[in-house]
Amino acid sequence: MNTMRHLIAETIIVLIALCSLSEAETLTVGQDGCDFYRIEAALGAANPGDVIEVHSGEYTVNLNITTPSVVLRGNDTGDGKPVLRAGSSTAEIEQEVSDTTYMTVSSGGTAISIRADFVTVEGFVITGVTWPKPYGTGEHNDLIGNAGIRVYSDFNKIANNTFEGNDLTGIGLWNCSNNQILGNIIRDIQWGYGIQLYNSHYNNIERNILLHNNWGIEAQRSDSNTLKENEIRESVNDGIRSVKCNYTMITENIISGNGNESEYEGNGKGIYLQGSMGLVADNVISFNRDAGIFIESIFWEYCSKPPCGAEESYDNLIINNRIQGNGRDGIRLYKTWKNQIWNNNITSNHGNGISFVFSNNNTAEMNNITRSDDGIYLDQSNYTNVSNNTITQMEMIGIGILSTVGASANNNTLADNTVGMALDESSSYNVLSRNKIVNSTEGINISGLSSENSVVENAVRTCETGINLLGAVRNSITRNEITDNLIGLVADITSRGNAIYENNLSGNKEFARDNGDNRWDDGSRGNFYGYGDCEDADKDGICDATLLIPGSVNEDRYPLASLVIP
């Protein structure tokens, strides 16, 4: 019933607006030959659908638009766009000094407040937005505060304005919906946001340029908004920040160089989602001080009635972004789940390409990651799927899995990394399968009491060490092609109970060395080593003699006479 009433109300508003357009007039504001000298007077005379055309010049304003469907349009009549300077155009505030009352002209405050629907504001330079003087005279004391343009209503358009010379927020949306913020230039805001939304839904913010503001765009408790084709550069703090917002679409933006002037260590993220869900696609996110994209849930440690709740980030889709040269991770997920990270180009970030920390059930697929610390890093991030990625030239590890249970890494290509893949810090029940690893110091490293993991059908070639076991326990290493390395497989003295069978260990300078206590066959089949003195008199595919593994008393009781591809 409430939805139907809302729909009927919106329909009536639209019909009124359309009817009024047929009777629209154009009212002019300016010095010579115009209908009005002051914009306030023109607004007072305007009817729904009227156009107020403001000519070149500077106007001091604290406008309050309450008539629906009014168009307030700046017209460059030869001296540039008209300039709206925040402040009162008349002496209307009383002050008492030494028992004498004076009328004072206010300065600062909000330049334009829009309180009616279907209003258009376009073609102005808006400046002088600061804390109002005399102090305490402003009306905007909420979260957003004073701004160049404050919007309280729906279906408005703010387009092609320039905001400069302001201390406070450029455009603020408060409890409103379905507004269009298009093609504005907002720069050099010292204390506020380029654009800020609170409890405002279904708005479209598109093709704006935000340059060197304190913050770029922030949305709180605002759902189903679209941020598209904006350019956000050199913000003192973050580029885009979304807090407790769902179904946000952040697409085709350029977000670069943010955070380099911030005094706070954690600021300077390109895109920062907190307790939010949405789409981040086709953006260029580069050279920001912190992470390119940072997603986290919000957990309340203190509340009036414990246990405290959480604002969860989940089901975000991060796809087709170019993420380059950021000061920390390209993409970082913290305490968040069921996110999809697909087909991003992530290069030369000064952290990891993608990090999952305390984040379960996520997917990273078809990403191209180059020149970072670790390519994809999992820390206590269970049941995460990493597949079909290309990861090259990592300073440390291509795919690193720490303290993690039930993750899988499949069909990845890893080249020219220090370590191709690593399992560490008691990681267990993970699966590494069908990965291609080449030109690394170590192809696969299993260490730190990691156990019950499956390493199966991987191709590990041209590494110094194909697979290195350091304190690895009860892992299964089967049907891998470990060839053309300096040494195929190494197990240290603390590695025990690992099952190593049906692997191709031929073509290595040294096939293996085992100083621990491990099994090199499954009771009927061992590994293929490719040495020439294997005899198989009964042609059963098993060498007639056992093979002692260098380094200990371990032996392969059933070495394979020929290579059989599974």
mmCIF file with all atom_site columns, all heavy atoms in Angstrom, residues 220-244:
data_model
loop_
_atom_site.group_PDB
_atom_site.id
_atom_site.type_symbol
_atom_site.label_atom_id
_atom_site.label_alt_id
_atom_site.label_comp_id
_atom_site.label_asym_id
_atom_site.label_entity_id
_atom_site.label_seq_id
_atom_site.pdbx_PDB_ins_code
_atom_site.Cartn_x
_atom_site.Cartn_y
_atom_site.Cartn_z
_atom_site.occupancy
_atom_site.B_iso_or_equiv
_atom_site.pdbx_formal_charge
_atom_site.auth_seq_id
_atom_site.auth_comp_id
_atom_site.auth_asym_id
_atom_site.auth_atom_id
_atom_site.pdbx_PDB_model_num
ATOM 1   N N   . GLN A 1 220 ? 26.945 7.762  2.390   1.00 0.00 ? 220 GLN A N   1
ATOM 2   C CA  . GLN A 1 220 ? 26.608 7.015  3.598   1.00 0.00 ? 220 GLN A CA  1
ATOM 3   C C   . GLN A 1 220 ? 25.128 6.652  3.581   1.00 0.00 ? 220 GLN A C   1
ATOM 4   O O   . GLN A 1 220 ? 24.281 7.489  3.274   1.00 0.00 ? 220 GLN A O   1
ATOM 5   C CB  . GLN A 1 220 ? 26.921 7.834  4.856   1.00 0.00 ? 220 GLN A CB  1
ATOM 6   C CG  . GLN A 1 220 ? 28.397 8.077  5.093   1.00 0.00 ? 220 GLN A CG  1
ATOM 7   C CD  . GLN A 1 220 ? 28.670 8.561  6.511   1.00 0.00 ? 220 GLN A CD  1
ATOM 8   O OE1 . GLN A 1 220 ? 28.063 8.083  7.467   1.00 0.00 ? 220 GLN A OE1 1
ATOM 9   N NE2 . GLN A 1 220 ? 29.581 9.508  6.651   1.00 0.00 ? 220 GLN A NE2 1
ATOM 10  N N   . ARG A 1 221 ? 24.855 5.372  3.899   1.00 0.00 ? 221 ARG A N   1
ATOM 11  C CA  . ARG A 1 221 ? 23.477 4.878  3.978   1.00 0.00 ? 221 ARG A CA  1
ATOM 12  C C   . ARG A 1 221 ? 22.672 5.255  2.731   1.00 0.00 ? 221 ARG A C   1
ATOM 13  O O   . ARG A 1 221 ? 21.497 5.642  2.803   1.00 0.00 ? 221 ARG A O   1
ATOM 14  C CB  . ARG A 1 221 ? 22.781 5.409  5.238   1.00 0.00 ? 221 ARG A CB  1
ATOM 15  C CG  . ARG A 1 221 ? 23.460 4.992  6.537   1.00 0.00 ? 221 ARG A CG  1
ATOM 16  C CD  . ARG A 1 221 ? 22.711 5.507  7.757   1.00 0.00 ? 221 ARG A CD  1
ATOM 17  N NE  . ARG A 1 221 ? 23.384 5.149  8.994   1.00 0.00 ? 221 ARG A NE  1
ATOM 18  C CZ  . ARG A 1 221 ? 23.224 3.991  9.645   1.00 0.00 ? 221 ARG A CZ  1
ATOM 19  N NH1 . ARG A 1 221 ? 22.391 3.081  9.155   1.00 0.00 ? 221 ARG A NH1 1
ATOM 20  N NH2 . ARG A 1 221 ? 23.869 3.753  10.769  1.00 0.00 ? 221 ARG A NH2 1
ATOM 21  N N   . SER A 1 222 ? 23.310 5.161  1.599   1.00 0.00 ? 222 SER A N   1
ATOM 22  C CA  . SER A 1 222 ? 22.688 5.583  0.338   1.00 0.00 ? 222 SER A CA  1
ATOM 23  C C   . SER A 1 222 ? 22.777 4.438  -0.659  1.00 0.00 ? 222 SER A C   1
ATOM 24  O O   . SER A 1 222 ? 23.878 4.014  -1.022  1.00 0.00 ? 222 SER A O   1
ATOM 25  C CB  . SER A 1 222 ? 23.398 6.832  -0.204  1.00 0.00 ? 222 SER A CB  1
ATOM 26  O OG  . SER A 1 222 ? 23.282 7.918  0.703   1.00 0.00 ? 222 SER A OG  1
ATOM 27  N N   . ASP A 1 223 ? 21.631 3.940  -1.129  1.00 0.00 ? 223 ASP A N   1
ATOM 28  C CA  . ASP A 1 223 ? 21.575 2.741  -1.959  1.00 0.00 ? 223 ASP A CA  1
ATOM 29  C C   . ASP A 1 223 ? 21.271 3.073  -3.417  1.00 0.00 ? 223 ASP A C   1
ATOM 30  O O   . ASP A 1 223 ? 20.649 4.091  -3.732  1.00 0.00 ? 223 ASP A O   1
ATOM 31  C CB  . ASP A 1 223 ? 20.499 1.787  -1.441  1.00 0.00 ? 223 ASP A CB  1
ATOM 32  C CG  . ASP A 1 223 ? 20.786 1.291  -0.032  1.00 0.00 ? 223 ASP A CG  1
ATOM 33  O OD1 . ASP A 1 223 ? 21.958 1.317  0.382   1.00 0.00 ? 223 ASP A OD1 1
ATOM 34  O OD2 . ASP A 1 223 ? 19.825 0.881  0.656   1.00 0.00 ? 223 ASP A OD2 1
ATOM 35  N N   . SER A 1 224 ? 21.713 2.166  -4.280  1.00 0.00 ? 224 SER A N   1
ATOM 36  C CA  . SER A 1 224 ? 21.333 2.169  -5.705  1.00 0.00 ? 224 SER A CA  1
ATOM 37  C C   . SER A 1 224 ? 21.739 3.449  -6.416  1.00 0.00 ? 224 SER A C   1
ATOM 38  O O   . SER A 1 224 ? 21.032 3.949  -7.295  1.00 0.00 ? 224 SER A O   1
ATOM 39  C CB  . SER A 1 224 ? 19.819 1.933  -5.851  1.00 0.00 ? 224 SER A CB  1
ATOM 40  O OG  . SER A 1 224 ? 19.436 0.718  -5.252  1.00 0.00 ? 224 SER A OG  1
ATOM 41  N N   . ASN A 1 225 ? 22.895 3.995  -6.062  1.00 0.00 ? 225 ASN A N   1
ATOM 42  C CA  . ASN A 1 225 ? 23.426 5.151  -6.763  1.00 0.00 ? 225 ASN A CA  1
ATOM 43  C C   . ASN A 1 225 ? 24.416 4.712  -7.832  1.00 0.00 ? 225 ASN A C   1
ATOM 44  O O   . ASN A 1 225 ? 25.050 3.664  -7.728  1.00 0.00 ? 225 ASN A O   1
ATOM 45  C CB  . ASN A 1 225 ? 24.106 6.098  -5.778  1.00 0.00 ? 225 ASN A CB  1
ATOM 46  C CG  . ASN A 1 225 ? 23.109 6.717  -4.817  1.00 0.00 ? 225 ASN A CG  1
ATOM 47  O OD1 . ASN A 1 225 ? 22.266 7.510  -5.212  1.00 0.00 ? 225 ASN A OD1 1
ATOM 48  N ND2 . ASN A 1 225 ? 23.193 6.331  -3.553  1.00 0.00 ? 225 ASN A ND2 1
ATOM 49  N N   . THR A 1 226 ? 24.569 5.542  -8.867  1.00 0.00 ? 226 THR A N   1
ATOM 50  C CA  . THR A 1 226 ? 25.502 5.282  -9.958  1.00 0.00 ? 226 THR A CA  1
ATOM 51  C C   . THR A 1 226 ? 26.560 6.369  -9.995  1.00 0.00 ? 226 THR A C   1
ATOM 52  O O   . THR A 1 226 ? 26.228 7.561  -10.067 1.00 0.00 ? 226 THR A O   1
ATOM 53  C CB  . THR A 1 226 ? 24.760 5.230  -11.303 1.00 0.00 ? 226 THR A CB  1
ATOM 54  O OG1 . THR A 1 226 ? 23.826 4.146  -11.282 1.00 0.00 ? 226 THR A OG1 1
ATOM 55  C CG2 . THR A 1 226 ? 25.737 5.023  -12.442 1.00 0.00 ? 226 THR A CG2 1
ATOM 56  N N   . LEU A 1 227 ? 27.819 5.958  -9.942  1.00 0.00 ? 227 LEU A N   1
ATOM 57  C CA  . LEU A 1 227 ? 28.958 6.868  -10.084 1.00 0.00 ? 227 LEU A CA  1
ATOM 58  C C   . LEU A 1 227 ? 29.695 6.453  -11.339 1.00 0.00 ? 227 LEU A C   1
ATOM 59  O O   . LEU A 1 227 ? 30.357 5.415  -11.377 1.00 0.00 ? 227 LEU A O   1
ATOM 60  C CB  . LEU A 1 227 ? 29.878 6.781  -8.867  1.00 0.00 ? 227 LEU A CB  1
ATOM 61  C CG  . LEU A 1 227 ? 29.463 7.494  -7.573  1.00 0.00 ? 227 LEU A CG  1
ATOM 62  C CD1 . LEU A 1 227 ? 28.157 6.948  -7.026  1.00 0.00 ? 227 LEU A CD1 1
ATOM 63  C CD2 . LEU A 1 227 ? 30.557 7.361  -6.521  1.00 0.00 ? 227 LEU A CD2 1
ATOM 64  N N   . LYS A 1 228 ? 29.590 7.249  -12.385 1.00 0.00 ? 228 LYS A N   1
ATOM 65  C CA  . LYS A 1 228 ? 30.071 6.824  -13.703 1.00 0.00 ? 228 LYS A CA  1
ATOM 66  C C   . LYS A 1 228 ? 30.842 7.932  -14.404 1.00 0.00 ? 228 LYS A C   1
ATOM 67  O O   . LYS A 1 228 ? 30.425 9.096  -14.400 1.00 0.00 ? 228 LYS A O   1
ATOM 68  C CB  . LYS A 1 228 ? 28.881 6.394  -14.567 1.00 0.00 ? 228 LYS A CB  1
ATOM 69  C CG  . LYS A 1 228 ? 29.243 5.896  -15.949 1.00 0.00 ? 228 LYS A CG  1
ATOM 70  C CD  . LYS A 1 228 ? 27.994 5.474  -16.720 1.00 0.00 ? 228 LYS A CD  1
ATOM 71  C CE  . LYS A 1 228 ? 28.359 4.975  -18.117 1.00 0.00 ? 228 LYS A CE  1
ATOM 72  N NZ  . LYS A 1 228 ? 27.153 4.599  -18.897 1.00 0.00 ? 228 LYS A NZ  1
ATOM 73  N N   . GLU A 1 229 ? 31.972 7.556  -14.978 1.00 0.00 ? 229 GLU A N   1
ATOM 74  C CA  . GLU A 1 229 ? 32.778 8.444  -15.832 1.00 0.00 ? 229 GLU A CA  1
ATOM 75  C C   . GLU A 1 229 ? 33.192 9.724  -15.123 1.00 0.00 ? 229 GLU A C   1
ATOM 76  O O   . GLU A 1 229 ? 33.340 10.777 -15.738 1.00 0.00 ? 229 GLU A O   1
ATOM 77  C CB  . GLU A 1 229 ? 32.028 8.768  -17.127 1.00 0.00 ? 229 GLU A CB  1
ATOM 78  C CG  . GLU A 1 229 ? 31.791 7.561  -18.007 1.00 0.00 ? 229 GLU A CG  1
ATOM 79  C CD  . GLU A 1 229 ? 31.084 7.905  -19.309 1.00 0.00 ? 229 GLU A CD  1
ATOM 80  O OE1 . GLU A 1 229 ? 31.069 9.085  -19.684 1.00 0.00 ? 229 GLU A OE1 1
ATOM 81  O OE2 . GLU A 1 229 ? 30.543 6.991  -19.945 1.00 0.00 ? 229 GLU A OE2 1
ATOM 82  N N   . ASN A 1 230 ? 33.367 9.659  -13.820 1.00 0.00 ? 230 ASN A N   1
ATOM 83  C CA  . ASN A 1 230 ? 33.913 10.806 -13.095 1.00 0.00 ? 230 ASN A CA  1
ATOM 84  C C   . ASN A 1 230 ? 35.434 10.724 -13.072 1.00 0.00 ? 230 ASN A C   1
ATOM 85  O O   . ASN A 1 230 ? 36.024 9.643  -13.145 1.00 0.00 ? 230 ASN A O   1
ATOM 86  C CB  . ASN A 1 230 ? 33.378 10.822 -11.667 1.00 0.00 ? 230 ASN A CB  1
ATOM 87  C CG  . ASN A 1 230 ? 31.870 10.892 -11.631 1.00 0.00 ? 230 ASN A CG  1
ATOM 88  O OD1 . ASN A 1 230 ? 31.286 11.935 -11.897 1.00 0.00 ? 230 ASN A OD1 1
ATOM 89  N ND2 . ASN A 1 230 ? 31.215 9.774  -11.315 1.00 0.00 ? 230 ASN A ND2 1
ATOM 90  N N   . GLU A 1 231 ? 36.062 11.863 -12.934 1.00 0.00 ? 231 GLU A N   1
ATOM 91  C CA  . GLU A 1 231 ? 37.516 11.939 -12.799 1.00 0.00 ? 231 GLU A CA  1
ATOM 92  C C   . GLU A 1 231 ? 37.823 12.529 -11.423 1.00 0.00 ? 231 GLU A C   1
ATOM 93  O O   . GLU A 1 231 ? 37.455 13.675 -11.141 1.00 0.00 ? 231 GLU A O   1
ATOM 94  C CB  . GLU A 1 231 ? 38.112 12.804 -13.905 1.00 0.00 ? 231 GLU A CB  1
ATOM 95  C CG  . GLU A 1 231 ? 39.619 12.824 -13.932 1.00 0.00 ? 231 GLU A CG  1
ATOM 96  C CD  . GLU A 1 231 ? 40.169 13.535 -15.162 1.00 0.00 ? 231 GLU A CD  1
ATOM 97  O OE1 . GLU A 1 231 ? 39.432 13.635 -16.168 1.00 0.00 ? 231 GLU A OE1 1
ATOM 98  O OE2 . GLU A 1 231 ? 41.332 13.996 -15.111 1.00 0.00 ? 231 GLU A OE2 1
ATOM 99  N N   . ILE A 1 232 ? 38.487 11.727 -10.585 1.00 0.00 ? 232 ILE A N   1
ATOM 100 C CA  . ILE A 1 232 ? 38.740 12.130 -9.198  1.00 0.00 ? 232 ILE A CA  1
ATOM 101 C C   . ILE A 1 232 ? 40.242 12.042 -8.966  1.00 0.00 ? 232 ILE A C   1
ATOM 102 O O   . ILE A 1 232 ? 40.815 10.957 -8.893  1.00 0.00 ? 232 ILE A O   1
ATOM 103 C CB  . ILE A 1 232 ? 37.976 11.216 -8.220  1.00 0.00 ? 232 ILE A CB  1
ATOM 104 C CG1 . ILE A 1 232 ? 36.489 11.185 -8.571  1.00 0.00 ? 232 ILE A CG1 1
ATOM 105 C CG2 . ILE A 1 232 ? 38.174 11.701 -6.781  1.00 0.00 ? 232 ILE A CG2 1
ATOM 106 C CD1 . ILE A 1 232 ? 35.699 10.144 -7.810  1.00 0.00 ? 232 ILE A CD1 1
ATOM 107 N N   . ARG A 1 233 ? 40.879 13.184 -8.868  1.00 0.00 ? 233 ARG A N   1
ATOM 108 C CA  . ARG A 1 233 ? 42.338 13.233 -8.778  1.00 0.00 ? 233 ARG A CA  1
ATOM 109 C C   . ARG A 1 233 ? 42.793 14.073 -7.583  1.00 0.00 ? 233 ARG A C   1
ATOM 110 O O   . ARG A 1 233 ? 42.168 15.070 -7.224  1.00 0.00 ? 233 ARG A O   1
ATOM 111 C CB  . ARG A 1 233 ? 42.944 13.835 -10.048 1.00 0.00 ? 233 ARG A CB  1
ATOM 112 C CG  . ARG A 1 233 ? 42.711 13.024 -11.318 1.00 0.00 ? 233 ARG A CG  1
ATOM 113 C CD  . ARG A 1 233 ? 43.430 13.670 -12.496 1.00 0.00 ? 233 ARG A CD  1
ATOM 114 N NE  . ARG A 1 233 ? 43.195 12.977 -13.741 1.00 0.00 ? 233 ARG A NE  1
ATOM 115 C CZ  . ARG A 1 233 ? 43.935 11.971 -14.197 1.00 0.00 ? 233 ARG A CZ  1
ATOM 116 N NH1 . ARG A 1 233 ? 44.954 11.526 -13.472 1.00 0.00 ? 233 ARG A NH1 1
ATOM 117 N NH2 . ARG A 1 233 ? 43.660 11.405 -15.360 1.00 0.00 ? 233 ARG A NH2 1
ATOM 118 N N   . GLU A 1 234 ? 43.887 13.635 -6.985  1.00 0.00 ? 234 GLU A N   1
ATOM 119 C CA  . GLU A 1 234 ? 44.649 14.425 -6.015  1.00 0.00 ? 234 GLU A CA  1
ATOM 120 C C   . GLU A 1 234 ? 43.832 14.847 -4.799  1.00 0.00 ? 234 GLU A C   1
ATOM 121 O O   . GLU A 1 234 ? 44.090 15.909 -4.210  1.00 0.00 ? 234 GLU A O   1
ATOM 122 C CB  . GLU A 1 234 ? 45.265 15.643 -6.703  1.00 0.00 ? 234 GLU A CB  1
ATOM 123 C CG  . GLU A 1 234 ? 46.219 15.269 -7.830  1.00 0.00 ? 234 GLU A CG  1
ATOM 124 C CD  . GLU A 1 234 ? 46.775 16.476 -8.567  1.00 0.00 ? 234 GLU A CD  1
ATOM 125 O OE1 . GLU A 1 234 ? 46.743 17.582 -7.998  1.00 0.00 ? 234 GLU A OE1 1
ATOM 126 O OE2 . GLU A 1 234 ? 47.225 16.307 -9.711  1.00 0.00 ? 234 GLU A OE2 1
ATOM 127 N N   . SER A 1 235 ? 42.850 14.073 -4.418  1.00 0.00 ? 235 SER A N   1
ATOM 128 C CA  . SER A 1 235 ? 42.173 14.345 -3.143  1.00 0.00 ? 235 SER A CA  1
ATOM 129 C C   . SER A 1 235 ? 43.180 14.196 -2.003  1.00 0.00 ? 235 SER A C   1
ATOM 130 O O   . SER A 1 235 ? 44.072 13.355 -2.054  1.00 0.00 ? 235 SER A O   1
ATOM 131 C CB  . SER A 1 235 ? 41.016 13.371 -2.936  1.00 0.00 ? 235 SER A CB  1
ATOM 132 O OG  . SER A 1 235 ? 40.102 13.437 -4.007  1.00 0.00 ? 235 SER A OG  1
ATOM 133 N N   . VAL A 1 236 ? 43.015 14.997 -0.971  1.00 0.00 ? 236 VAL A N   1
ATOM 134 C CA  . VAL A 1 236 ? 43.906 14.885 0.182   1.00 0.00 ? 236 VAL A CA  1
ATOM 135 C C   . VAL A 1 236 ? 43.736 13.525 0.844   1.00 0.00 ? 236 VAL A C   1
ATOM 136 O O   . VAL A 1 236 ? 44.708 12.916 1.306   1.00 0.00 ? 236 VAL A O   1
ATOM 137 C CB  . VAL A 1 236 ? 43.637 16.029 1.174   1.00 0.00 ? 236 VAL A CB  1
ATOM 138 C CG1 . VAL A 1 236 ? 44.450 15.845 2.450   1.00 0.00 ? 236 VAL A CG1 1
ATOM 139 C CG2 . VAL A 1 236 ? 43.963 17.378 0.530   1.00 0.00 ? 236 VAL A CG2 1
ATOM 140 N N   . ASN A 1 237 ? 42.509 13.013 0.861   1.00 0.00 ? 237 ASN A N   1
ATOM 141 C CA  . ASN A 1 237 ? 42.227 11.722 1.486   1.00 0.00 ? 237 ASN A CA  1
ATOM 142 C C   . ASN A 1 237 ? 41.759 10.726 0.422   1.00 0.00 ? 237 ASN A C   1
ATOM 143 O O   . ASN A 1 237 ? 42.436 10.547 -0.568  1.00 0.00 ? 237 ASN A O   1
ATOM 144 C CB  . ASN A 1 237 ? 41.250 11.922 2.632   1.00 0.00 ? 237 ASN A CB  1
ATOM 145 C CG  . ASN A 1 237 ? 41.861 12.758 3.754   1.00 0.00 ? 237 ASN A CG  1
ATOM 146 O OD1 . ASN A 1 237 ? 42.752 12.293 4.456   1.00 0.00 ? 237 ASN A OD1 1
ATOM 147 N ND2 . ASN A 1 237 ? 41.402 13.995 3.934   1.00 0.00 ? 237 ASN A ND2 1
ATOM 148 N N   . ASP A 1 238 ? 40.633 10.048 0.593   1.00 0.00 ? 238 ASP A N   1
ATOM 149 C CA  . ASP A 1 238 ? 40.215 8.996  -0.333  1.00 0.00 ? 238 ASP A CA  1
ATOM 150 C C   . ASP A 1 238 ? 39.532 9.563  -1.574  1.00 0.00 ? 238 ASP A C   1
ATOM 151 O O   . ASP A 1 238 ? 38.942 10.646 -1.548  1.00 0.00 ? 238 ASP A O   1
ATOM 152 C CB  . ASP A 1 238 ? 39.253 8.041  0.368   1.00 0.00 ? 238 ASP A CB  1
ATOM 153 C CG  . ASP A 1 238 ? 39.884 7.354  1.574   1.00 0.00 ? 238 ASP A CG  1
ATOM 154 O OD1 . ASP A 1 238 ? 41.125 7.201  1.579   1.00 0.00 ? 238 ASP A OD1 1
ATOM 155 O OD2 . ASP A 1 238 ? 39.148 6.986  2.507   1.00 0.00 ? 238 ASP A OD2 1
ATOM 156 N N   . GLY A 1 239 ? 39.572 8.759  -2.652  1.00 0.00 ? 239 GLY A N   1
ATOM 157 C CA  . GLY A 1 239 ? 38.885 9.144  -3.872  1.00 0.00 ? 239 GLY A CA  1
ATOM 158 C C   . GLY A 1 239 ? 37.380 8.953  -3.767  1.00 0.00 ? 239 GLY A C   1
ATOM 159 O O   . GLY A 1 239 ? 36.599 9.900  -3.878  1.00 0.00 ? 239 GLY A O   1
ATOM 160 N N   . ILE A 1 240 ? 36.928 7.689  -3.557  1.00 0.00 ? 240 ILE A N   1
ATOM 161 C CA  . ILE A 1 240 ? 35.514 7.370  -3.366  1.00 0.00 ? 240 ILE A CA  1
ATOM 162 C C   . ILE A 1 240 ? 35.390 6.547  -2.092  1.00 0.00 ? 240 ILE A C   1
ATOM 163 O O   . ILE A 1 240 ? 36.097 5.556  -1.912  1.00 0.00 ? 240 ILE A O   1
ATOM 164 C CB  . ILE A 1 240 ? 34.933 6.583  -4.556  1.00 0.00 ? 240 ILE A CB  1
ATOM 165 C CG1 . ILE A 1 240 ? 34.931 7.440  -5.828  1.00 0.00 ? 240 ILE A CG1 1
ATOM 166 C CG2 . ILE A 1 240 ? 33.518 6.094  -4.244  1.00 0.00 ? 240 ILE A CG2 1
ATOM 167 C CD1 . ILE A 1 240 ? 34.500 6.683  -7.067  1.00 0.00 ? 240 ILE A CD1 1
ATOM 168 N N   . ARG A 1 241 ? 34.463 6.939  -1.230  1.00 0.00 ? 241 ARG A N   1
ATOM 169 C CA  . ARG A 1 241 ? 34.220 6.205  0.010   1.00 0.00 ? 241 ARG A CA  1
ATOM 170 C C   . ARG A 1 241 ? 32.731 5.938  0.135   1.00 0.00 ? 241 ARG A C   1
ATOM 171 O O   . ARG A 1 241 ? 31.911 6.855  0.053   1.00 0.00 ? 241 ARG A O   1
ATOM 172 C CB  . ARG A 1 241 ? 34.713 7.004  1.219   1.00 0.00 ? 241 ARG A CB  1
ATOM 173 C CG  . ARG A 1 241 ? 34.545 6.291  2.564   1.00 0.00 ? 241 ARG A CG  1
ATOM 174 C CD  . ARG A 1 241 ? 35.297 7.040  3.642   1.00 0.00 ? 241 ARG A CD  1
ATOM 175 N NE  . ARG A 1 241 ? 35.140 6.417  4.954   1.00 0.00 ? 241 ARG A NE  1
ATOM 176 C CZ  . ARG A 1 241 ? 34.434 6.946  5.958   1.00 0.00 ? 241 ARG A CZ  1
ATOM 177 N NH1 . ARG A 1 241 ? 33.827 8.122  5.795   1.00 0.00 ? 241 ARG A NH1 1
ATOM 178 N NH2 . ARG A 1 241 ? 34.354 6.328  7.117   1.00 0.00 ? 241 ARG A NH2 1
ATOM 179 N N   . SER A 1 242 ? 32.381 4.660  0.317   1.00 0.00 ? 242 SER A N   1
ATOM 180 C CA  . SER A 1 242 ? 30.989 4.246  0.426   1.00 0.00 ? 242 SER A CA  1
ATOM 181 C C   . SER A 1 242 ? 30.813 3.513  1.747   1.00 0.00 ? 242 SER A C   1
ATOM 182 O O   . SER A 1 242 ? 31.461 2.494  1.992   1.00 0.00 ? 242 SER A O   1
ATOM 183 C CB  . SER A 1 242 ? 30.624 3.338  -0.756  1.00 0.00 ? 242 SER A CB  1
ATOM 184 O OG  . SER A 1 242 ? 29.324 2.822  -0.631  1.00 0.00 ? 242 SER A OG  1
ATOM 185 N N   . VAL A 1 243 ? 29.925 4.014  2.605   1.00 0.00 ? 243 VAL A N   1
ATOM 186 C CA  . VAL A 1 243 ? 29.725 3.469  3.940   1.00 0.00 ? 243 VAL A CA  1
ATOM 187 C C   . VAL A 1 243 ? 28.275 3.024  4.092   1.00 0.00 ? 243 VAL A C   1
ATOM 188 O O   . VAL A 1 243 ? 27.350 3.836  3.987   1.00 0.00 ? 243 VAL A O   1
ATOM 189 C CB  . VAL A 1 243 ? 30.068 4.511  5.025   1.00 0.00 ? 243 VAL A CB  1
ATOM 190 C CG1 . VAL A 1 243 ? 29.927 3.902  6.412   1.00 0.00 ? 243 VAL A CG1 1
ATOM 191 C CG2 . VAL A 1 243 ? 31.471 5.068  4.817   1.00 0.00 ? 243 VAL A CG2 1
ATOM 192 N N   . LYS A 1 244 ? 28.082 1.723  4.308   1.00 0.00 ? 244 LYS A N   1
ATOM 193 C CA  . LYS A 1 244 ? 26.745 1.158  4.509   1.00 0.00 ? 244 LYS A CA  1
ATOM 194 C C   . LYS A 1 244 ? 25.817 1.504  3.347   1.00 0.00 ? 244 LYS A C   1
ATOM 195 O O   . LYS A 1 244 ? 24.689 1.963  3.531   1.00 0.00 ? 244 LYS A O   1
ATOM 196 C CB  . LYS A 1 244 ? 26.170 1.615  5.855   1.00 0.00 ? 244 LYS A CB  1
ATOM 197 C CG  . LYS A 1 244 ? 26.952 1.047  7.042   1.00 0.00 ? 244 LYS A CG  1
ATOM 198 C CD  . LYS A 1 244 ? 26.344 1.416  8.363   1.00 0.00 ? 244 LYS A CD  1
ATOM 199 C CE  . LYS A 1 244 ? 26.766 2.815  8.769   1.00 0.00 ? 244 LYS A CE  1
ATOM 200 N NZ  . LYS A 1 244 ? 26.377 3.132  10.159  1.00 0.00 ? 244 LYS A NZ  1
#
